[in-house]
PDB file of all heavy atoms in Angstrom:
ATOM      1  N   LEU A  57      25.622  -5.016   1.144  1.00 96.00           N
ATOM      2  CA  LEU A  57      25.209  -6.427   1.125  1.00 96.00           C
ATOM      3  C   LEU A  57      23.686  -6.569   1.134  1.00 96.00           C
ATOM      4  O   LEU A  57      23.114  -7.413   1.817  1.00 96.00           O
ATOM      5  CB  LEU A  57      25.837  -7.185   2.301  1.00 96.00           C
ATOM      6  CG  LEU A  57      27.376  -7.207   2.316  1.00 96.00           C
ATOM      7  CD1 LEU A  57      27.893  -7.794   3.621  1.00 96.00           C
ATOM      8  CD2 LEU A  57      27.911  -8.004   1.119  1.00 96.00           C
ATOM      9  N   GLY A  58      23.018  -5.693   0.364  1.00 95.00           N
ATOM     10  CA  GLY A  58      21.583  -5.801   0.168  1.00 95.00           C
ATOM     11  C   GLY A  58      20.718  -5.203   1.254  1.00 95.00           C
ATOM     12  O   GLY A  58      19.492  -5.296   1.195  1.00 95.00           O
ATOM     13  N   GLU A  59      21.342  -4.565   2.260  1.00 96.00           N
ATOM     14  CA  GLU A  59      20.552  -4.008   3.360  1.00 96.00           C
ATOM     15  C   GLU A  59      21.066  -2.621   3.710  1.00 96.00           C
ATOM     16  O   GLU A  59      22.271  -2.351   3.654  1.00 96.00           O
ATOM     17  CB  GLU A  59      20.637  -4.934   4.584  1.00 96.00           C
ATOM     18  CG  GLU A  59      19.612  -4.613   5.655  1.00 96.00           C
ATOM     19  CD  GLU A  59      19.525  -5.706   6.727  1.00 96.00           C
ATOM     20  OE1 GLU A  59      19.449  -6.899   6.361  1.00 96.00           O
ATOM     21  OE2 GLU A  59      19.528  -5.358   7.916  1.00 96.00           O
ATOM     22  N   LEU A  60      20.140  -1.721   4.049  1.00 97.00           N
ATOM     23  CA  LEU A  60      20.526  -0.372   4.431  1.00 97.00           C
ATOM     24  C   LEU A  60      21.287  -0.394   5.750  1.00 97.00           C
ATOM     25  O   LEU A  60      20.913  -1.110   6.685  1.00 97.00           O
ATOM     26  CB  LEU A  60      19.295   0.529   4.553  1.00 97.00           C
ATOM     27  CG  LEU A  60      18.544   0.820   3.243  1.00 97.00           C
ATOM     28  CD1 LEU A  60      17.289   1.645   3.522  1.00 97.00           C
ATOM     29  CD2 LEU A  60      19.438   1.543   2.256  1.00 97.00           C
ATOM     30  N   LEU A  61      22.329   0.395   5.818  1.00 97.00           N
ATOM     31  CA  LEU A  61      23.158   0.456   7.022  1.00 97.00           C
ATOM     32  C   LEU A  61      22.407   1.188   8.126  1.00 97.00           C
ATOM     33  O   LEU A  61      21.993   2.341   7.957  1.00 97.00           O
ATOM     34  CB  LEU A  61      24.470   1.178   6.690  1.00 97.00           C
ATOM     35  CG  LEU A  61      25.545   1.189   7.782  1.00 97.00           C
ATOM     36  CD1 LEU A  61      26.046  -0.223   8.062  1.00 97.00           C
ATOM     37  CD2 LEU A  61      26.705   2.087   7.379  1.00 97.00           C
ATOM     38  N   ARG A  62      22.206   0.518   9.241  1.00 95.00           N
ATOM     39  CA  ARG A  62      21.509   1.110  10.384  1.00 95.00           C
ATOM     40  C   ARG A  62      22.292   0.898  11.687  1.00 95.00           C
ATOM     41  O   ARG A  62      21.771   1.143  12.773  1.00 95.00           O
ATOM     42  CB  ARG A  62      20.107   0.507  10.519  1.00 95.00           C
ATOM     43  CG  ARG A  62      19.160   0.884   9.372  1.00 95.00           C
ATOM     44  CD  ARG A  62      18.824   2.356   9.407  1.00 95.00           C
ATOM     45  NE  ARG A  62      17.874   2.766   8.382  1.00 95.00           N
ATOM     46  CZ  ARG A  62      18.214   3.364   7.251  1.00 95.00           C
ATOM     47  NH1 ARG A  62      19.508   3.602   6.990  1.00 95.00           N
ATOM     48  NH2 ARG A  62      17.298   3.749   6.387  1.00 95.00           N
ATOM     49  N   SER A  63      23.539   0.436  11.575  1.00 95.00           N
ATOM     50  CA  SER A  63      24.379   0.182  12.745  1.00 95.00           C
ATOM     51  C   SER A  63      25.816   0.531  12.356  1.00 95.00           C
ATOM     52  O   SER A  63      26.049   1.198  11.338  1.00 95.00           O
ATOM     53  CB  SER A  63      24.268  -1.290  13.157  1.00 95.00           C
ATOM     54  OG  SER A  63      24.685  -2.132  12.087  1.00 95.00           O
ATOM     55  N   THR A  64      26.778   0.085  13.130  1.00 96.00           N
ATOM     56  CA  THR A  64      28.171   0.277  12.724  1.00 96.00           C
ATOM     57  C   THR A  64      28.514  -0.698  11.597  1.00 96.00           C
ATOM     58  O   THR A  64      27.823  -1.710  11.413  1.00 96.00           O
ATOM     59  CB  THR A  64      29.132   0.036  13.894  1.00 96.00           C
ATOM     60  OG1 THR A  64      29.067  -1.359  14.263  1.00 96.00           O
ATOM     61  CG2 THR A  64      28.793   0.907  15.099  1.00 96.00           C
ATOM     62  N   LEU A  65      29.566  -0.393  10.870  1.00 96.00           N
ATOM     63  CA  LEU A  65      30.004  -1.298   9.801  1.00 96.00           C
ATOM     64  C   LEU A  65      30.291  -2.686  10.353  1.00 96.00           C
ATOM     65  O   LEU A  65      29.907  -3.698   9.761  1.00 96.00           O
ATOM     66  CB  LEU A  65      31.273  -0.747   9.125  1.00 96.00           C
ATOM     67  CG  LEU A  65      31.102   0.186   7.933  1.00 96.00           C
ATOM     68  CD1 LEU A  65      32.465   0.587   7.391  1.00 96.00           C
ATOM     69  CD2 LEU A  65      30.275  -0.475   6.837  1.00 96.00           C
ATOM     70  N   ALA A  66      30.962  -2.749  11.500  1.00 95.00           N
ATOM     71  CA  ALA A  66      31.328  -4.042  12.088  1.00 95.00           C
ATOM     72  C   ALA A  66      30.086  -4.868  12.417  1.00 95.00           C
ATOM     73  O   ALA A  66      30.018  -6.068  12.115  1.00 95.00           O
ATOM     74  CB  ALA A  66      32.172  -3.824  13.342  1.00 95.00           C
ATOM     75  N   GLU A  67      29.074  -4.233  13.031  1.00 95.00           N
ATOM     76  CA  GLU A  67      27.848  -4.950  13.403  1.00 95.00           C
ATOM     77  C   GLU A  67      27.092  -5.408  12.157  1.00 95.00           C
ATOM     78  O   GLU A  67      26.547  -6.512  12.125  1.00 95.00           O
ATOM     79  CB  GLU A  67      26.963  -4.042  14.263  1.00 95.00           C
ATOM     80  CG  GLU A  67      27.537  -3.770  15.650  1.00 95.00           C
ATOM     81  CD  GLU A  67      26.841  -2.618  16.364  1.00 95.00           C
ATOM     82  OE1 GLU A  67      26.205  -1.781  15.679  1.00 95.00           O
ATOM     83  OE2 GLU A  67      26.932  -2.556  17.605  1.00 95.00           O
ATOM     84  N   HIS A  68      27.078  -4.551  11.137  1.00 96.00           N
ATOM     85  CA  HIS A  68      26.381  -4.881   9.889  1.00 96.00           C
ATOM     86  C   HIS A  68      27.038  -6.081   9.211  1.00 96.00           C
ATOM     87  O   HIS A  68      26.356  -7.026   8.789  1.00 96.00           O
ATOM     88  CB  HIS A  68      26.408  -3.658   8.964  1.00 96.00           C
ATOM     89  CG  HIS A  68      25.533  -3.789   7.752  1.00 96.00           C
ATOM     90  ND1 HIS A  68      24.279  -3.243   7.680  1.00 96.00           N
ATOM     91  CD2 HIS A  68      25.734  -4.410   6.559  1.00 96.00           C
ATOM     92  CE1 HIS A  68      23.740  -3.515   6.499  1.00 96.00           C
ATOM     93  NE2 HIS A  68      24.611  -4.223   5.794  1.00 96.00           N
TER      94      HIS A  68
END
Side-chain angles (χ1 to χ4, degrees):
L57 299 171
E59 193 169 313
L60 293 176
L61 187 65
R62 293 292 183 260
S63 60
T64 66
L65 270 181
E67 291 166 339
H68 190 98

